[in-house]
């Protein structure tokens, strides 16, 4: 089991659903693929990209990391004013005394920037195992299970807080900027979390489809904000499909508002039925009630959803089996059916990749950003593809 699965853990046939009858088979014309991260000394994880009303691109992610699971995660961001041709040097937006993981980014209709994250102690299992075999010598603290230099770093980071303070740090958060990213608010609790964060609805509300991470019941559902992200309230629970275990096996949602007003949320699923696939649920009443999740015949996860200017929907998602990489599908009927897969990248060396998100540029070109562990450099990078639908 991977580290990510281990953290998340704290097939029926697609033909059973006439809903998912395939549409036409578009293809992705890849214009360019490149690495955009600039700090190979860090592991880069779980990014989100957004295009602001002024055309500026923002990408945020969990940076400053040593590995997929570690105590050093920070929220980083960088911007581009030339459609991703070049990016600014990264900024640290948030750095708490524990692991800040994932990051979504959104510009609201009012021009505010909203960046989401959550705090985690998933690294503690690794550290406790190392500590069990640690001893203090003339050369300082050493561990039989972790190199001395690494153990000393982890120990120093871990001991910034005591046990009670660490638990108090756990939460799901956003930070806000009302001046274009020059300054940021303190953390605001959001009730739920998901990697790509909340979305803007046409009625002015912000909607956050996600999961409660640190509560006993770990509900899967949606929260809303009616004040541009300053406060968040629970709105509705998403029902559990018959036979599923939502607490253990529903994760990492993202939502979109279709052109006809339907709200669509997709779910990373690890139940036996449709295991490793994306499930989908819909709301016709602004998020107050949701349909029972169902398979859409898409192996791969988690997904990001985008409505194009012409009304079509794009879902992009990681594909963690050959061809390792990222794929996209199109819906021309407000999410009722999805096209065959379009490969955005298929040259990955393994499954430590994905979480792609996508924006539409002024000329209709699409730009997707994801994270990926490559042969070189040693630690995971951010990759970007510019592409067109043909």
């Amino acid at each position: 089991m991977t580290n990510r699965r281990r953290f998340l853990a704290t097939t029926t046939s697609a033909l059973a659903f006439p809903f998912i009858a395939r549409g036409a088979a578009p293809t992705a014309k890849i214009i360019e693929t490149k690495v955009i991260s600039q700090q190979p000394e860090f592991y880069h994880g779980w990014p989100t990209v957004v295009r602001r009303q002024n055309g500026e691109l923002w990408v945020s992610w969990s940076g400053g990391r040593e590995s997929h699971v570690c105590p050093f995660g920070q929220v980083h961001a960088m911007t581009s004013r030339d459609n991703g041709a070049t990016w600014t040097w990264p900024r640290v937006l948030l750095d708490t005394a524990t692991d800040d993981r994932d990051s979504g980014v959104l510009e609201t209709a009012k021009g505010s920037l909203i960046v989401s994250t959550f705090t985690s102690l998933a690294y503690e299992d690794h550290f406790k195992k190392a500590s069990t075999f640690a001893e203090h010598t003339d050369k300082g603290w050493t561990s039989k299970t972790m190199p001395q230099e690494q153990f000393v770093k982890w120990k120093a980071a871990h001991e910034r807080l005591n046990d009670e303070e660490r638990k108090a740090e756990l939460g799901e958060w956003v930070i806000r900027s009302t001046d274009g990213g020059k300054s940021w608010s303190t953390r605001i609790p959001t009730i739920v979390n998901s990697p790509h964060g909340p979305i803007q609805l046409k009625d002015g509300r912000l909607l956050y489809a996600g999961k409660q991470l640190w509560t006993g019941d770990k509900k899967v559902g949606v929260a809303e904000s009616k004040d541009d992200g300053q406060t968040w309230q629970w709105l509705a629970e998403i029902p559990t499909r018959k036979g599923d275990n939502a607490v253990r096996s529903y994760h990492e949602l993202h939502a979109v508002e279709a052109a006809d007003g339907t709200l669509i949320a997709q779910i990373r699923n690890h139940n036996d039925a449709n295991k490793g696939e994306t499930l989908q649920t819909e709301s016709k009443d602004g998020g107050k009630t949701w349909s029972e999740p169902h398979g859409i015949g898409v192996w791969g996860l988690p997904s990001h959803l985008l409505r194009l200017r012409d009304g079509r929907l794009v879902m992009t998602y990681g594909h963690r089996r050959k061809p390792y990489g990222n794929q996209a599908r199109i819906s021309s009927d407000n999410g009722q059916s999805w096209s065959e897969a379009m490969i955005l990248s298929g040259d990955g060396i393994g499954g430590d990749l994905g979480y792609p998100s996508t924006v539409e540029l002024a000329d209709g070109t699409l730009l997707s950003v994801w994270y990926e562990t490559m042969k070189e450099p040693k630690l995971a990078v951010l990759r970007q593809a510019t592409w067109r639908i043909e």
Side-chain angles (χ1 to χ4, degrees), residues 276 278 298-304 316-321 323-327 353-356 370:
T278 294
V298 175
W299 193 96
L301 41 76
S303 64
H304 174 271
T316 47
Y317 54 92
H319 194 261
R320 295 180 169 187
R321 65 185 182 191
Y324 292 108
N326 299 275
Q327 299 184 359
L353 53 70
Y355 294 73
W370 64 91

Side-chain angles (χ1 to χ4, degrees), residues 4 7-8 46 102 118 193-195 209-211 250-254 266-268 270 301-303 355:
R4 188 73 179 191
F7 171 75
L8 292 173
W46 322 296
D102 296 6
F118 74 99
N193 173 265
S194 61
K211 185 173 184 175
Y250 285 176
H251 309 288
E252 299 185 328
L253 291 76
H254 194 241
Q266 293 185 339
I267 305 169
R268 173 175 180 161
H270 288 286
L301 41 76
S303 64
Y355 294 73

Side-chain angles (χ1 to χ4, degrees), residues 19-331:
F19 173 95
I20 60 171
R22 290 285 179 261
T27 59
K29 171 66 175 178
I30 307 300
I31 300 168
E32 181 186 42
T33 302
K34 64 181 181 180
V35 173
I36 61 171
S37 49
Q38 303 167 70
Q39 295 173 295
E41 67 272 24
F42 293 139
Y43 180 107
H44 299 69
W46 322 296
T48 304
V49 63
V50 70
R51 183 175 184 269
R52 299 186 62 202
Q53 297 168 48
N54 64 6
E56 183 179 58
L57 301 180
W58 273 73
V59 62
S60 64
W61 69 96
S62 182
R65 310 187 61 81
E66 183 177 282
S67 57
H68 194 107
V69 175
C70 72
F72 307 113
Q74 305 166 330
V75 178
H76 286 197
M78 59 187 180
T79 61
S80 173
R81 295 183 177 178
D82 53 15
N83 293 322
T86 61
W87 291 89
T88 60
W89 189 254
R91 286 180 57 190
V92 177
L93 302 186
L94 182 67
D95 181 16
T96 70
T98 185
D99 185 11
D100 303 307
R101 300 181 66 86
D102 296 6
S103 186
V105 59
L106 165 74
E107 184 187 39
T108 72
K110 295 182 178 180
S112 302
L113 286 167
I114 308 286
V115 170
S116 60
T117 186
F118 74 99
T119 38
S120 168
L121 299 177
Y123 75 88
E124 281 192 326
D125 286 344
H126 301 265
F127 180 67
K128 288 176 180 178
K129 289 177 183 177
S131 297
T132 300
F133 299 98
E135 61 180 359
H136 193 272
T137 69
D138 291 340
K139 296 181 180 180
W141 281 99
T142 61
S143 170
K144 296 179 181 179
T145 63
M146 187 180 286
Q148 178 182 2
E149 182 180 356
Q150 182 183 32
F151 180 76
V152 170
K153 286 170 57 181
W154 281 51
K155 185 175 185 295
H158 182 73
E159 292 179 349
R160 288 180 292 185
L161 302 175
N162 62 37
D163 290 346
E164 184 177 339
E165 290 168 336
R166 275 185 228 103
K167 290 181 180 179
E169 273 293 299
L170 293 174
E172 308 95 336
W173 317 97
V174 293
I175 54 175
R176 297 176 70 248
S177 174
T178 56
D179 58 9
K182 295 176 183 177
S183 62
W184 293 85
S185 71
T186 57
R187 294 181 302 177
I188 299 167
T190 57
I191 304 174
V192 300
N193 173 265
S194 61
H196 297 304
I199 63 169
Q200 174 86 64
L201 301 182
K202 61 185 177 183
D203 65 8
R205 291 179 297 147
L206 303 184
L207 185 85
Y208 201 163
K211 185 173 184 175
Q212 296 178 346
L213 299 181
W214 311 122
T215 61
D217 49 11
K218 293 182 170 60
K219 289 182 181 178
V220 176
V222 291
E224 66 176 355
S225 174
K226 297 180 179 179
D227 56 9
D228 202 46
Q230 296 180 76
T231 61
W232 295 83
Q233 300 80 40
W234 178 257
L235 179 59
E237 188 168 359
I238 290 173
T240 302
R241 182 176 60 172
K242 185 177 180 180
D244 283 356
N245 185 314
V247 172
R248 186 179 67 240
S249 299
Y250 285 176
H251 309 288
E252 299 185 328
L253 291 76
H254 194 241
V256 71
E257 185 172 24
D260 68 349
T262 301
L263 300 181
I264 298 165
Q266 293 185 339
I267 305 169
R268 173 175 180 161
N269 174 56
H270 288 286
N271 289 283
D272 289 340
N274 305 100
K275 190 172 185 178
E277 296 185 15
T278 294
L279 302 184
Q280 184 169 298
T281 175
E282 299 86 25
S283 174
K284 298 287 188 179
D285 58 6
K288 296 176 183 177
T289 60
W290 294 82
S291 65
E292 182 178 298
H294 51 84
I296 56 172
V298 175
W299 193 96
L301 41 76
S303 64
H304 174 271
L305 291 161
L306 171 72
R307 189 176 78 229
L308 303 177
R309 287 190 290 272
D310 64 12
R312 290 181 296 171
L313 302 178
V314 178
M315 63 175 291
T316 47
Y317 54 92
H319 194 261
R320 295 180 169 187
R321 65 185 182 191
K322 293 183 179 180
Y324 292 108
N326 299 275
Q327 299 184 359
R329 296 178 188 244
I330 304 296
S331 175

